[in-house]
Amino acid sequence: MLSSCVNMKIQATDTKAYIGEHEFGSGILSISEQNLFWKNSNGKNICLNYPSIALHAISKDLNAFPHECLYIITDRPIEITDGNVELKDEVNDSEDSDEITPLRFVPKDKSLLNPIFKAINECQALYPDQEMSGESDESEEEDQDIEENQFFDSSSDINEIKLSDQGLETLRRLNINYQSEKNADLIENEKQYEDAEN
């Protein structure tokens, strides 16, 4: 899928992309009204339509990841085909949150994180959830009350983060997975400490 440069909101050069914890490369991140598009000089690219973005936020938790970044979760598992990041066409009911792989974008200029986040908010508003189209005006007003700049880290109370139901459920699963991994690390460290004492 090629990027459309019509109605460009913002571009960030020297932006590193990460698939999970692994660096995918450094390139240009473009936010247009049509899509989010990242590409580099080696031909790698990531293209996301806004309805496929289940959650996006600015993460400043350096304990969870060593760089401040734009953090994105998609509504379907991702796969890499010929150097390009794509979303799976179909998701089986048997597939669970273990297949959720976050995308992270780390611009060299960290001051661009807020404008990028705001631009994605504005663009996503152009593509309302089809399932929500029949909701009342009151529901639409509540959506408009969502804060423009949201930040989260491992200590954030997910019940206080204003997201769509889908985004909140995704973040809740990720938080549970994170806490499970954290507890496992603590247990392993305690074992190592006990072994050292013996």
Side-chain angles (χ1 to χ4, degrees), residues 71-154:
Y71 183 93
I72 289 179
I73 291 294
T74 55
D75 62 350
R76 286 168 287 157
I78 64 174
E79 57 186 359
I80 301 176
T81 305
D82 297 329
N84 300 325
V85 173
E86 300 177 350
L87 301 182
K88 292 184 178 180
D89 292 332
E90 297 181 358
V91 178
N92 298 326
D93 293 338
S94 60
E95 292 179 338
D96 54 27
S97 61
D98 289 340
E99 289 204 33
I100 295 177
T101 303
L103 298 174
R104 295 179 174 92
F105 296 97
V106 182
K108 182 177 181 180
D109 183 356
K110 298 302 186 297
S111 68
L112 292 176
L113 283 171
N114 280 348
I116 290 172
F117 179 89
K118 183 177 180 180
I120 295 175
N121 275 352
E122 294 173 352
C123 293
Q124 276 197 315
L126 301 175
Y127 301 88
D129 190 339
Q130 295 298 323
E131 296 180 358
M132 299 295 290
S133 59
E135 295 291 334
S136 64
D137 293 339
E138 180 180 353
S139 177
E140 293 179 0
E141 291 176 359
E142 290 177 355
D143 290 340
Q144 294 175 356
D145 289 337
I146 294 178
E147 297 178 1
E148 289 185 348
N149 296 300
Q150 297 187 60
F151 305 89
F152 76 92
D153 57 26
S154 58

